[in-house]
PDB file of all heavy atoms in Angstrom:
ATOM      1  N   GLU A  40      74.712 112.375 130.900  1.00 87.00           N
ATOM      2  CA  GLU A  40      74.759 112.503 132.365  1.00 87.00           C
ATOM      3  C   GLU A  40      75.975 111.730 132.857  1.00 87.00           C
ATOM      4  O   GLU A  40      75.880 110.546 133.191  1.00 87.00           O
ATOM      5  CB  GLU A  40      73.509 111.895 133.007  1.00 87.00           C
ATOM      6  CG  GLU A  40      72.202 112.541 132.580  1.00 87.00           C
ATOM      7  CD  GLU A  40      71.014 111.814 133.214  1.00 87.00           C
ATOM      8  OE1 GLU A  40      70.611 112.177 134.330  1.00 87.00           O
ATOM      9  OE2 GLU A  40      70.505 110.861 132.598  1.00 87.00           O
ATOM     10  N   GLY A  41      77.106 112.420 132.931  1.00 88.00           N
ATOM     11  CA  GLY A  41      78.391 111.765 133.186  1.00 88.00           C
ATOM     12  C   GLY A  41      78.420 110.883 134.433  1.00 88.00           C
ATOM     13  O   GLY A  41      78.765 109.711 134.365  1.00 88.00           O
ATOM     14  N   LYS A  42      78.019 111.464 135.574  1.00 92.00           N
ATOM     15  CA  LYS A  42      78.111 110.736 136.844  1.00 92.00           C
ATOM     16  C   LYS A  42      77.209 109.511 136.848  1.00 92.00           C
ATOM     17  O   LYS A  42      77.593 108.444 137.298  1.00 92.00           O
ATOM     18  CB  LYS A  42      77.688 111.651 137.993  1.00 92.00           C
ATOM     19  CG  LYS A  42      78.865 112.334 138.660  1.00 92.00           C
ATOM     20  CD  LYS A  42      78.427 112.930 139.985  1.00 92.00           C
ATOM     21  CE  LYS A  42      79.630 113.547 140.700  1.00 92.00           C
ATOM     22  NZ  LYS A  42      79.191 114.437 141.777  1.00 92.00           N
ATOM     23  N   ARG A  43      75.980 109.718 136.376  1.00 94.00           N
ATOM     24  CA  ARG A  43      75.021 108.618 136.355  1.00 94.00           C
ATOM     25  C   ARG A  43      75.506 107.517 135.411  1.00 94.00           C
ATOM     26  O   ARG A  43      75.376 106.327 135.706  1.00 94.00           O
ATOM     27  CB  ARG A  43      73.655 109.152 135.910  1.00 94.00           C
ATOM     28  CG  ARG A  43      72.581 108.097 135.968  1.00 94.00           C
ATOM     29  CD  ARG A  43      71.205 108.647 135.627  1.00 94.00           C
ATOM     30  NE  ARG A  43      70.338 107.548 135.239  1.00 94.00           N
ATOM     31  CZ  ARG A  43      69.395 107.615 134.300  1.00 94.00           C
ATOM     32  NH1 ARG A  43      69.182 108.759 133.671  1.00 94.00           N
ATOM     33  NH2 ARG A  43      68.673 106.561 133.995  1.00 94.00           N
ATOM     34  N   PHE A  44      76.082 107.915 134.275  1.00 94.00           N
ATOM     35  CA  PHE A  44      76.602 106.940 133.313  1.00 94.00           C
ATOM     36  C   PHE A  44      77.702 106.094 133.947  1.00 94.00           C
ATOM     37  O   PHE A  44      77.721 104.871 133.803  1.00 94.00           O
ATOM     38  CB  PHE A  44      77.128 107.649 132.069  1.00 94.00           C
ATOM     39  CG  PHE A  44      77.719 106.708 131.050  1.00 94.00           C
ATOM     40  CD1 PHE A  44      76.895 105.943 130.227  1.00 94.00           C
ATOM     41  CD2 PHE A  44      79.095 106.577 130.907  1.00 94.00           C
ATOM     42  CE1 PHE A  44      77.433 105.067 129.296  1.00 94.00           C
ATOM     43  CE2 PHE A  44      79.640 105.696 129.979  1.00 94.00           C
ATOM     44  CZ  PHE A  44      78.803 104.941 129.167  1.00 94.00           C
ATOM     45  N   PHE A  45      78.618 106.745 134.670  1.00 95.00           N
ATOM     46  CA  PHE A  45      79.726 106.007 135.282  1.00 95.00           C
ATOM     47  C   PHE A  45      79.192 104.965 136.266  1.00 95.00           C
ATOM     48  O   PHE A  45      79.648 103.820 136.285  1.00 95.00           O
ATOM     49  CB  PHE A  45      80.678 106.982 135.998  1.00 95.00           C
ATOM     50  CG  PHE A  45      81.845 106.296 136.638  1.00 95.00           C
ATOM     51  CD1 PHE A  45      82.889 105.797 135.860  1.00 95.00           C
ATOM     52  CD2 PHE A  45      81.891 106.106 138.018  1.00 95.00           C
ATOM     53  CE1 PHE A  45      83.953 105.132 136.445  1.00 95.00           C
ATOM     54  CE2 PHE A  45      82.955 105.435 138.607  1.00 95.00           C
ATOM     55  CZ  PHE A  45      83.989 104.958 137.816  1.00 95.00           C
ATOM     56  N   LYS A  46      78.187 105.350 137.041  1.00 96.00           N
ATOM     57  CA  LYS A  46      77.608 104.425 138.026  1.00 96.00           C
ATOM     58  C   LYS A  46      76.898 103.266 137.300  1.00 96.00           C
ATOM     59  O   LYS A  46      77.093 102.091 137.639  1.00 96.00           O
ATOM     60  CB  LYS A  46      76.623 105.204 138.901  1.00 96.00           C
ATOM     61  CG  LYS A  46      76.082 104.414 140.072  1.00 96.00           C
ATOM     62  CD  LYS A  46      75.521 105.355 141.161  1.00 96.00           C
ATOM     63  CE  LYS A  46      74.805 104.538 142.230  1.00 96.00           C
ATOM     64  NZ  LYS A  46      73.442 104.105 141.810  1.00 96.00           N
ATOM     65  N   ALA A  47      76.103 103.603 136.301  1.00 96.00           N
ATOM     66  CA  ALA A  47      75.371 102.561 135.565  1.00 96.00           C
ATOM     67  C   ALA A  47      76.341 101.614 134.863  1.00 96.00           C
ATOM     68  O   ALA A  47      76.147 100.393 134.845  1.00 96.00           O
ATOM     69  CB  ALA A  47      74.427 103.206 134.553  1.00 96.00           C
ATOM     70  N   ALA A  48      77.418 102.183 134.295  1.00 96.00           N
ATOM     71  CA  ALA A  48      78.399 101.364 133.576  1.00 96.00           C
ATOM     72  C   ALA A  48      79.115 100.428 134.544  1.00 96.00           C
ATOM     73  O   ALA A  48      79.325  99.249 134.254  1.00 96.00           O
ATOM     74  CB  ALA A  48      79.402 102.271 132.860  1.00 96.00           C
ATOM     75  N   SER A  49      79.500 100.941 135.710  1.00 97.00           N
ATOM     76  CA  SER A  49      80.208 100.114 136.697  1.00 97.00           C
ATOM     77  C   SER A  49      79.332  98.953 137.147  1.00 97.00           C
ATOM     78  O   SER A  49      79.811  97.820 137.309  1.00 97.00           O
ATOM     79  CB  SER A  49      80.611 100.949 137.917  1.00 97.00           C
ATOM     80  OG  SER A  49      81.352 102.068 137.525  1.00 97.00           O
ATOM     81  N   GLU A  50      78.065  99.249 137.343  1.00 97.00           N
ATOM     82  CA  GLU A  50      77.169  98.177 137.796  1.00 97.00           C
ATOM     83  C   GLU A  50      76.910  97.152 136.687  1.00 97.00           C
ATOM     84  O   GLU A  50      76.901  95.950 136.935  1.00 97.00           O
ATOM     85  CB  GLU A  50      75.839  98.759 138.292  1.00 97.00           C
ATOM     86  CG  GLU A  50      75.973  99.116 139.754  1.00 97.00           C
ATOM     87  CD  GLU A  50      74.857 100.027 140.267  1.00 97.00           C
ATOM     88  OE1 GLU A  50      73.745  99.981 139.705  1.00 97.00           O
ATOM     89  OE2 GLU A  50      75.131 100.771 141.223  1.00 97.00           O
ATOM     90  N   ALA A  51      76.734  97.632 135.477  1.00 97.00           N
ATOM     91  CA  ALA A  51      76.523  96.715 134.355  1.00 97.00           C
ATOM     92  C   ALA A  51      77.744  95.808 134.182  1.00 97.00           C
ATOM     93  O   ALA A  51      77.616  94.587 134.053  1.00 97.00           O
ATOM     94  CB  ALA A  51      76.262  97.506 133.071  1.00 97.00           C
ATOM     95  N   SER A  52      78.941  96.389 134.213  1.00 97.00           N
ATOM     96  CA  SER A  52      80.173  95.629 133.955  1.00 97.00           C
ATOM     97  C   SER A  52      80.427  94.558 135.005  1.00 97.00           C
ATOM     98  O   SER A  52      81.105  93.572 134.729  1.00 97.00           O
ATOM     99  CB  SER A  52      81.387  96.565 133.925  1.00 97.00           C
ATOM    100  OG  SER A  52      81.290  97.448 132.846  1.00 97.00           O
ATOM    101  N   ARG A  53      79.917  94.766 136.205  1.00 97.00           N
ATOM    102  CA  ARG A  53      80.104  93.730 137.221  1.00 97.00           C
ATOM    103  C   ARG A  53      79.231  92.519 136.943  1.00 97.00           C
ATOM    104  O   ARG A  53      79.471  91.443 137.493  1.00 97.00           O
ATOM    105  CB  ARG A  53      79.799  94.297 138.614  1.00 97.00           C
ATOM    106  CG  ARG A  53      81.006  95.032 139.224  1.00 97.00           C
ATOM    107  CD  ARG A  53      80.879  95.174 140.725  1.00 97.00           C
ATOM    108  NE  ARG A  53      79.839  96.129 141.099  1.00 97.00           N
ATOM    109  CZ  ARG A  53      80.045  97.451 141.214  1.00 97.00           C
ATOM    110  NH1 ARG A  53      81.245  97.949 140.999  1.00 97.00           N
ATOM    111  NH2 ARG A  53      79.058  98.249 141.554  1.00 97.00           N
ATOM    112  N   LYS A  54      78.198  92.707 136.107  1.00 97.00           N
ATOM    113  CA  LYS A  54      77.291  91.581 135.817  1.00 97.00           C
ATOM    114  C   LYS A  54      77.501  90.959 134.452  1.00 97.00           C
ATOM    115  O   LYS A  54      77.332  89.763 134.264  1.00 97.00           O
ATOM    116  CB  LYS A  54      75.843  92.060 135.913  1.00 97.00           C
ATOM    117  CG  LYS A  54      75.460  92.465 137.317  1.00 97.00           C
ATOM    118  CD  LYS A  54      73.977  92.255 137.549  1.00 97.00           C
ATOM    119  CE  LYS A  54      73.636  92.454 139.014  1.00 97.00           C
ATOM    120  NZ  LYS A  54      72.307  93.007 139.207  1.00 97.00           N
ATOM    121  N   LYS A  55      77.795  91.784 133.429  1.00 97.00           N
ATOM    122  CA  LYS A  55      77.940  91.264 132.061  1.00 97.00           C
ATOM    123  C   LYS A  55      78.864  92.176 131.278  1.00 97.00           C
ATOM    124  O   LYS A  55      79.005  93.355 131.614  1.00 97.00           O
ATOM    125  CB  LYS A  55      76.565  91.153 131.381  1.00 97.00           C
ATOM    126  CG  LYS A  55      75.641  92.329 131.576  1.00 97.00           C
ATOM    127  CD  LYS A  55      74.208  92.054 131.083  1.00 97.00           C
ATOM    128  CE  LYS A  55      73.279  91.563 132.188  1.00 97.00           C
ATOM    129  NZ  LYS A  55      71.847  91.525 131.840  1.00 97.00           N
ATOM    130  N   PRO A  56      79.524  91.633 130.246  1.00 97.00           N
ATOM    131  CA  PRO A  56      80.424  92.481 129.460  1.00 97.00           C
ATOM    132  C   PRO A  56      79.674  93.567 128.691  1.00 97.00           C
ATOM    133  O   PRO A  56      78.605  93.316 128.131  1.00 97.00           O
ATOM    134  CB  PRO A  56      81.094  91.496 128.494  1.00 97.00           C
ATOM    135  CG  PRO A  56      80.314  90.245 128.553  1.00 97.00           C
ATOM    136  CD  PRO A  56      79.555  90.223 129.828  1.00 97.00           C
ATOM    137  N   VAL A  57      80.242  94.776 128.688  1.00 97.00           N
ATOM    138  CA  VAL A  57      79.681  95.910 127.944  1.00 97.00           C
ATOM    139  C   VAL A  57      80.755  96.393 126.963  1.00 97.00           C
ATOM    140  O   VAL A  57      81.793  96.914 127.377  1.00 97.00           O
ATOM    141  CB  VAL A  57      79.283  97.066 128.880  1.00 97.00           C
ATOM    142  CG1 VAL A  57      78.641  98.205 128.078  1.00 97.00           C
ATOM    143  CG2 VAL A  57      78.361  96.582 129.993  1.00 97.00           C
ATOM    144  N   VAL A  58      80.522  96.174 125.672  1.00 97.00           N
ATOM    145  CA  VAL A  58      81.476  96.574 124.640  1.00 97.00           C
ATOM    146  C   VAL A  58      81.019  97.919 124.075  1.00 97.00           C
ATOM    147  O   VAL A  58      79.848  98.083 123.731  1.00 97.00           O
ATOM    148  CB  VAL A  58      81.554  95.523 123.519  1.00 97.00           C
ATOM    149  CG1 VAL A  58      82.570  95.946 122.459  1.00 97.00           C
ATOM    150  CG2 VAL A  58      81.902  94.153 124.089  1.00 97.00           C
TER     151      VAL A  58
END
Side-chain angles (χ1 to χ4, degrees):
Chain A
E40 300 177 89
K42 265 194 177 164
R43 185 176 160 216
F44 178 77
F45 181 74
K46 187 160 172 282
S49 306
E50 273 165 27
S52 295
R53 276 199 289 273
K54 294 209 171 147
K55 44 190 94 169
V57 183
V58 181

